Short mmCIF file of all heavy atoms in Angstrom, two decimals:
data_model
loop_
_atom_site.label_atom_id
_atom_site.label_comp_id
_atom_site.label_asym_id
_atom_site.label_seq_id
_atom_site.Cartn_x
_atom_site.Cartn_y
_atom_site.Cartn_z
N GLU A 92 0.85 -1.17 -0.06
CA GLU A 92 -0.01 -0.06 0.04
C GLU A 92 0.97 1.21 -0.03
O GLU A 92 0.56 2.23 -0.68
CB GLU A 92 -0.96 -0.02 1.23
CG GLU A 92 -1.94 -1.09 1.17
CD GLU A 92 -2.80 -1.20 2.50
OE1 GLU A 92 -2.07 -1.12 3.55
OE2 GLU A 92 -3.94 -1.47 2.42
N LEU A 93 1.91 1.20 0.74
CA LEU A 93 2.86 2.36 0.74
C LEU A 93 3.54 2.47 -0.53
O LEU A 93 3.84 3.67 -1.05
CB LEU A 93 4.00 2.14 1.97
CG LEU A 93 3.49 2.56 3.32
CD1 LEU A 93 4.52 2.02 4.25
CD2 LEU A 93 3.36 3.97 3.42
N LYS A 94 3.97 1.37 -1.17
CA LYS A 94 4.64 1.41 -2.46
C LYS A 94 3.72 2.05 -3.51
O LYS A 94 4.23 2.93 -4.30
CB LYS A 94 5.01 -0.01 -2.86
CG LYS A 94 5.62 -0.08 -4.25
CD LYS A 94 7.07 0.19 -4.22
CE LYS A 94 7.75 -0.08 -5.58
NZ LYS A 94 7.49 0.88 -6.61
N ARG A 95 2.51 1.78 -3.45
CA ARG A 95 1.53 2.42 -4.39
C ARG A 95 1.28 3.89 -4.06
O ARG A 95 1.12 4.69 -5.00
CB ARG A 95 0.15 1.65 -4.43
CG ARG A 95 0.03 0.42 -5.27
CD ARG A 95 -1.37 -0.05 -5.50
NE ARG A 95 -2.02 -0.34 -4.18
CZ ARG A 95 -1.93 -1.57 -3.70
NH1 ARG A 95 -1.41 -2.57 -4.29
NH2 ARG A 95 -2.51 -1.85 -2.53
N ALA A 96 1.23 4.21 -2.77
CA ALA A 96 0.93 5.57 -2.38
C ALA A 96 2.05 6.58 -2.67
O ALA A 96 1.81 7.81 -2.91
CB ALA A 96 0.53 5.52 -0.86
N VAL A 97 3.30 6.05 -2.43
CA VAL A 97 4.43 7.00 -2.59
C VAL A 97 5.02 6.90 -4.03
O VAL A 97 5.83 6.05 -4.31
CB VAL A 97 5.49 6.63 -1.52
CG1 VAL A 97 6.70 7.57 -1.72
CG2 VAL A 97 5.00 6.69 -0.16
N ASP A 98 4.49 7.78 -4.86
CA ASP A 98 4.84 7.86 -6.25
C ASP A 98 6.33 7.89 -6.48
O ASP A 98 7.00 8.89 -5.98
CB ASP A 98 4.13 9.00 -6.97
CG ASP A 98 4.27 8.92 -8.47
OD1 ASP A 98 4.18 7.80 -8.99
OD2 ASP A 98 4.43 9.99 -9.03
N GLY A 99 6.94 7.09 -7.28
CA GLY A 99 8.32 7.13 -7.72
C GLY A 99 9.31 6.44 -6.84
O GLY A 99 10.47 6.37 -7.16
N ILE A 100 8.92 5.94 -5.67
CA ILE A 100 9.91 5.30 -4.77
C ILE A 100 10.08 3.82 -5.24
O ILE A 100 9.19 3.12 -5.56
CB ILE A 100 9.32 5.39 -3.28
CG1 ILE A 100 10.51 4.90 -2.30
CG2 ILE A 100 8.13 4.49 -3.07
CD1 ILE A 100 10.25 5.22 -0.91
N SER A 101 11.33 3.38 -5.30
CA SER A 101 11.63 2.03 -5.57
C SER A 101 11.43 1.12 -4.43
O SER A 101 11.40 1.55 -3.23
CB SER A 101 13.10 1.91 -6.02
OG SER A 101 13.92 2.09 -4.96
N GLN A 102 11.28 -0.20 -4.66
CA GLN A 102 11.12 -1.19 -3.58
C GLN A 102 12.25 -1.14 -2.59
O GLN A 102 11.99 -1.07 -1.44
CB GLN A 102 10.89 -2.54 -4.23
CG GLN A 102 10.58 -3.54 -3.07
CD GLN A 102 10.06 -4.88 -3.66
OE1 GLN A 102 9.44 -4.89 -4.77
NE2 GLN A 102 10.19 -5.97 -2.98
N ARG A 103 13.44 -1.05 -3.21
CA ARG A 103 14.61 -1.05 -2.23
C ARG A 103 14.63 0.27 -1.39
O ARG A 103 14.94 0.18 -0.23
CB ARG A 103 15.96 -1.14 -3.14
CG ARG A 103 17.20 -1.04 -2.25
CD ARG A 103 18.47 -1.03 -3.15
NE ARG A 103 19.59 -1.05 -2.35
CZ ARG A 103 20.02 -0.02 -1.58
NH1 ARG A 103 19.40 1.11 -1.44
NH2 ARG A 103 21.10 -0.14 -0.86
N MET A 104 14.32 1.42 -2.02
CA MET A 104 14.40 2.68 -1.23
C MET A 104 13.32 2.73 -0.19
O MET A 104 13.52 3.24 0.93
CB MET A 104 14.20 3.94 -2.21
CG MET A 104 14.35 5.18 -1.49
SD MET A 104 15.85 5.46 -0.44
CE MET A 104 17.06 5.48 -1.74
N LEU A 105 12.15 2.12 -0.49
CA LEU A 105 11.09 1.97 0.42
C LEU A 105 11.50 1.22 1.65
O LEU A 105 11.31 1.56 2.78
CB LEU A 105 9.79 1.50 -0.13
CG LEU A 105 8.58 1.29 0.76
CD1 LEU A 105 8.24 2.69 1.47
CD2 LEU A 105 7.38 0.79 0.01
N THR A 106 12.14 0.03 1.43
CA THR A 106 12.65 -0.81 2.40
C THR A 106 13.70 -0.17 3.31
O THR A 106 13.58 -0.17 4.52
CB THR A 106 13.25 -2.14 1.77
OG1 THR A 106 12.26 -2.76 1.01
CG2 THR A 106 13.83 -2.99 2.83
N VAL A 107 14.65 0.53 2.71
CA VAL A 107 15.68 1.14 3.36
C VAL A 107 15.09 2.39 4.26
O VAL A 107 15.42 2.52 5.38
CB VAL A 107 16.80 1.72 2.40
CG1 VAL A 107 17.70 2.75 3.09
CG2 VAL A 107 17.57 0.64 1.83
N THR A 108 14.17 3.07 3.69
CA THR A 108 13.62 4.20 4.49
C THR A 108 12.74 3.71 5.58
O THR A 108 12.80 4.27 6.69
CB THR A 108 12.69 5.09 3.50
OG1 THR A 108 13.61 5.55 2.38
CG2 THR A 108 12.23 6.26 4.15
N LEU A 109 12.04 2.70 5.36
CA LEU A 109 11.13 2.14 6.52
C LEU A 109 12.05 1.59 7.63
O LEU A 109 11.67 1.77 8.76
CB LEU A 109 10.22 0.99 5.93
CG LEU A 109 9.03 1.46 4.99
CD1 LEU A 109 8.42 0.17 4.39
CD2 LEU A 109 8.07 2.25 5.93
N ARG A 110 13.12 0.97 7.29
CA ARG A 110 14.00 0.36 8.31
C ARG A 110 14.58 1.54 9.08
O ARG A 110 14.75 1.42 10.32
CB ARG A 110 15.14 -0.40 7.68
CG ARG A 110 14.68 -1.76 7.33
CD ARG A 110 15.82 -2.58 6.62
NE ARG A 110 15.29 -3.84 6.18
CZ ARG A 110 15.96 -4.59 5.21
NH1 ARG A 110 17.11 -4.22 4.87
NH2 ARG A 110 15.42 -5.74 4.91
N GLY A 111 15.07 2.59 8.47
CA GLY A 111 15.57 3.83 9.07
C GLY A 111 14.63 4.41 10.03
O GLY A 111 14.95 4.86 11.16
N LEU A 112 13.33 4.68 9.59
CA LEU A 112 12.17 5.18 10.37
C LEU A 112 11.92 4.36 11.54
O LEU A 112 11.65 4.90 12.71
CB LEU A 112 11.03 5.54 9.53
CG LEU A 112 11.21 6.58 8.55
CD1 LEU A 112 10.01 6.61 7.49
CD2 LEU A 112 11.39 8.00 9.16
N GLU A 113 11.93 3.09 11.37
CA GLU A 113 11.73 2.12 12.50
C GLU A 113 12.88 2.16 13.47
O GLU A 113 12.61 2.34 14.74
CB GLU A 113 11.56 0.71 12.00
CG GLU A 113 11.32 -0.28 13.09
CD GLU A 113 11.22 -1.72 12.56
OE1 GLU A 113 11.56 -2.07 11.36
OE2 GLU A 113 10.79 -2.55 13.40
N ARG A 114 14.05 2.23 12.99
CA ARG A 114 15.26 2.28 13.90
C ARG A 114 15.20 3.60 14.75
O ARG A 114 15.53 3.66 15.89
CB ARG A 114 16.54 2.38 13.04
CG ARG A 114 17.80 2.46 13.86
CD ARG A 114 18.98 2.24 13.00
NE ARG A 114 20.26 2.34 13.74
CZ ARG A 114 21.09 3.37 13.74
NH1 ARG A 114 20.99 4.27 12.89
NH2 ARG A 114 22.15 3.36 14.54
N ASP A 115 14.76 4.76 14.13
CA ASP A 115 14.65 6.02 14.78
C ASP A 115 13.43 6.22 15.74
O ASP A 115 13.32 7.20 16.33
CB ASP A 115 14.67 7.17 13.81
CG ASP A 115 16.10 7.15 13.08
OD1 ASP A 115 17.08 6.71 13.64
OD2 ASP A 115 16.14 7.76 12.02
N GLY A 116 12.57 5.22 15.66
CA GLY A 116 11.45 5.27 16.55
C GLY A 116 10.25 6.05 16.01
O GLY A 116 9.31 6.42 16.76
N ILE A 117 10.26 6.34 14.72
CA ILE A 117 9.24 7.06 14.02
C ILE A 117 8.02 6.18 13.65
O ILE A 117 6.91 6.65 13.71
CB ILE A 117 9.78 7.71 12.74
CG1 ILE A 117 11.04 8.61 13.05
CG2 ILE A 117 8.64 8.60 12.03
CD1 ILE A 117 10.77 9.74 14.05
N LEU A 118 8.24 4.92 13.42
CA LEU A 118 7.15 4.00 13.09
C LEU A 118 7.48 2.63 13.65
O LEU A 118 8.64 2.37 14.09
CB LEU A 118 7.02 3.96 11.58
CG LEU A 118 8.03 3.49 10.61
CD1 LEU A 118 8.24 1.96 10.68
CD2 LEU A 118 7.84 3.89 9.21
N THR A 119 6.50 1.85 13.73
CA THR A 119 6.61 0.48 14.22
C THR A 119 6.23 -0.44 13.10
O THR A 119 5.38 -0.15 12.21
CB THR A 119 5.71 0.18 15.46
OG1 THR A 119 4.33 0.43 15.02
CG2 THR A 119 6.04 0.93 16.57
N ARG A 120 6.81 -1.56 13.00
CA ARG A 120 6.62 -2.67 12.03
C ARG A 120 5.96 -3.86 12.85
O ARG A 120 6.47 -4.25 13.74
CB ARG A 120 7.87 -3.08 11.46
CG ARG A 120 7.82 -4.23 10.41
CD ARG A 120 9.17 -4.45 9.88
NE ARG A 120 9.17 -5.50 8.82
CZ ARG A 120 9.46 -6.78 9.03
NH1 ARG A 120 9.75 -7.26 10.22
NH2 ARG A 120 9.43 -7.59 8.03
N THR A 121 4.85 -4.22 12.41
CA THR A 121 4.14 -5.36 12.98
C THR A 121 3.92 -6.47 11.95
O THR A 121 3.45 -6.22 10.89
CB THR A 121 2.68 -4.88 13.43
OG1 THR A 121 2.83 -3.75 14.28
CG2 THR A 121 1.92 -5.99 14.16
N VAL A 122 4.37 -7.71 12.46
CA VAL A 122 4.19 -8.88 11.51
C VAL A 122 3.18 -9.74 12.13
O VAL A 122 3.19 -10.12 13.34
CB VAL A 122 5.58 -9.63 11.51
CG1 VAL A 122 5.43 -10.81 10.58
CG2 VAL A 122 6.68 -8.76 10.94
N ARG A 123 2.16 -10.15 11.34
CA ARG A 123 1.15 -11.09 11.77
C ARG A 123 1.49 -12.38 11.08
O ARG A 123 1.64 -12.50 9.95
CB ARG A 123 -0.27 -10.56 11.37
CG ARG A 123 -0.55 -9.21 12.01
CD ARG A 123 -1.99 -9.02 12.11
NE ARG A 123 -2.53 -7.74 12.65
CZ ARG A 123 -1.91 -6.72 13.20
NH1 ARG A 123 -0.55 -6.80 13.33
NH2 ARG A 123 -2.49 -5.73 13.53
N ASN A 124 1.48 -13.42 11.96
CA ASN A 124 1.96 -14.83 11.40
C ASN A 124 0.76 -15.42 10.76
O ASN A 124 0.13 -16.42 11.33
CB ASN A 124 2.43 -15.60 12.50
CG ASN A 124 3.78 -15.15 13.01
OD1 ASN A 124 4.58 -14.67 12.17
ND2 ASN A 124 4.04 -15.25 14.29
N VAL A 125 0.47 -15.08 9.53
CA VAL A 125 -0.56 -15.67 8.63
C VAL A 125 0.16 -16.02 7.38
O VAL A 125 1.32 -15.58 7.12
CB VAL A 125 -1.78 -14.80 8.42
CG1 VAL A 125 -2.56 -14.53 9.72
CG2 VAL A 125 -1.39 -13.43 7.79
N MET A 126 -0.44 -16.78 6.50
CA MET A 126 0.17 -17.06 5.32
C MET A 126 -0.63 -16.39 4.13
O MET A 126 -1.69 -16.47 3.98
CB MET A 126 0.06 -18.60 5.00
CG MET A 126 1.01 -19.33 5.94
SD MET A 126 2.72 -18.76 5.85
CE MET A 126 3.30 -19.45 4.24
N PRO A 127 0.12 -15.47 3.34
CA PRO A 127 1.41 -15.03 3.62
C PRO A 127 1.47 -14.07 4.74
O PRO A 127 0.48 -13.59 5.15
CB PRO A 127 1.82 -14.38 2.22
CG PRO A 127 0.54 -13.89 1.73
CD PRO A 127 -0.57 -14.93 2.16
N PRO A 128 2.72 -13.84 5.30
CA PRO A 128 2.77 -12.98 6.46
C PRO A 128 2.29 -11.68 6.17
O PRO A 128 2.41 -11.12 5.08
CB PRO A 128 4.30 -12.86 6.69
CG PRO A 128 4.90 -14.12 6.09
CD PRO A 128 4.00 -14.44 4.92
N HIS A 129 1.60 -10.95 7.11
CA HIS A 129 1.07 -9.70 6.96
C HIS A 129 1.94 -8.72 7.84
O HIS A 129 2.01 -8.81 8.97
CB HIS A 129 -0.48 -9.68 7.60
CG HIS A 129 -1.12 -8.42 7.49
ND1 HIS A 129 -2.10 -8.19 6.57
CD2 HIS A 129 -1.08 -7.25 8.20
CE1 HIS A 129 -2.54 -6.96 6.65
NE2 HIS A 129 -1.96 -6.39 7.73
N VAL A 130 2.56 -7.80 7.08
CA VAL A 130 3.44 -6.84 7.70
C VAL A 130 2.76 -5.44 7.52
O VAL A 130 2.39 -5.10 6.33
CB VAL A 130 4.86 -6.83 7.11
CG1 VAL A 130 5.77 -5.78 7.77
CG2 VAL A 130 5.43 -8.21 7.21
N SER A 131 2.57 -4.70 8.61
CA SER A 131 2.05 -3.37 8.49
C SER A 131 3.04 -2.46 9.30
O SER A 131 3.78 -2.79 10.09
CB SER A 131 0.66 -3.32 9.00
OG SER A 131 0.66 -3.65 10.36
N TYR A 132 2.91 -1.12 8.85
CA TYR A 132 3.66 -0.03 9.46
C TYR A 132 2.71 1.01 9.99
O TYR A 132 1.69 1.25 9.43
CB TYR A 132 4.63 0.47 8.38
CG TYR A 132 5.62 -0.39 7.84
CD1 TYR A 132 5.18 -1.20 6.74
CD2 TYR A 132 6.83 -0.69 8.42
CE1 TYR A 132 6.09 -2.25 6.19
CE2 TYR A 132 7.70 -1.53 7.97
CZ TYR A 132 7.31 -2.38 6.85
OH TYR A 132 8.23 -3.33 6.39
N GLU A 133 3.13 1.55 11.19
CA GLU A 133 2.23 2.51 11.85
C GLU A 133 3.11 3.55 12.45
O GLU A 133 4.23 3.16 13.04
CB GLU A 133 1.36 1.86 12.87
CG GLU A 133 0.35 2.79 13.54
CD GLU A 133 -0.56 1.87 14.36
OE1 GLU A 133 -0.31 0.68 14.59
OE2 GLU A 133 -1.53 2.44 14.89
N LEU A 134 2.69 4.80 12.51
CA LEU A 134 3.53 5.84 13.22
C LEU A 134 3.41 5.66 14.72
O LEU A 134 2.35 5.21 15.32
CB LEU A 134 2.88 7.22 13.02
CG LEU A 134 3.00 7.76 11.55
CD1 LEU A 134 2.35 9.15 11.47
CD2 LEU A 134 4.53 7.87 11.15
N THR A 135 4.48 5.80 15.46
CA THR A 135 4.56 5.91 16.91
C THR A 135 4.09 7.24 17.29
O THR A 135 3.87 8.18 16.53
CB THR A 135 6.10 5.73 17.36
OG1 THR A 135 6.86 6.81 16.94
CG2 THR A 135 6.63 4.39 16.85
N PRO A 136 3.95 7.49 18.68
CA PRO A 136 3.54 8.74 19.13
C PRO A 136 4.55 9.82 18.65
O PRO A 136 4.16 10.97 18.35
CB PRO A 136 3.55 8.76 20.61
CG PRO A 136 3.10 7.17 20.84
CD PRO A 136 3.83 6.45 19.69
N MET A 137 5.90 9.59 18.63
CA MET A 137 6.87 10.45 18.13
C MET A 137 6.80 10.66 16.60
O MET A 137 6.86 11.85 16.15
CB MET A 137 8.31 9.95 18.44
CG MET A 137 9.40 10.93 18.04
SD MET A 137 11.06 10.60 18.74
CE MET A 137 11.30 8.94 17.95
N GLY A 138 6.38 9.71 15.94
CA GLY A 138 6.14 9.75 14.49
C GLY A 138 4.96 10.73 14.19
O GLY A 138 4.96 11.50 13.29
N THR A 139 3.91 10.63 15.05
CA THR A 139 2.82 11.54 14.90
C THR A 139 3.20 13.00 15.10
O THR A 139 2.70 13.87 14.35
CB THR A 139 1.73 11.15 15.85
OG1 THR A 139 1.28 9.74 15.59
CG2 THR A 139 0.52 12.11 15.80
#
């Protein structure tokens, strides 16, 4: 959904940016153990 929403971003750049934002505490990454795995991203209070 993010890949579709952010026009022009490559898959690799999206991955790198999401990891950086997660590392900095701006967003959280949640993995749901279903098949296939469901991964979502959400702003933290600091990200808000």
Side-chain angles (χ1 to χ4, degrees):
E92 293 170 321
L93 279 168
K94 176 80 171 74
R95 274 193 301 269
V97 182
D98 187 38
I100 193 168
S101 69
Q102 184 166 333
R103 181 185 182 288
M104 184 53 67
L105 180 56
T106 299
V107 167
T108 305
L109 288 169
R110 285 180 183 161
L112 291 170
E113 182 182 10
R114 180 176 181 247
D115 293 337
I117 305 299
L118 59 81
T119 57
R120 178 179 184 264
T121 303
V122 180
R123 300 209 186 346
N124 290 326
V125 295
M126 287 308 282
H129 180 103
V130 180
S131 63
Y132 299 88
E133 184 173 13
L134 291 179
T135 63
M137 184 170 57
T139 300

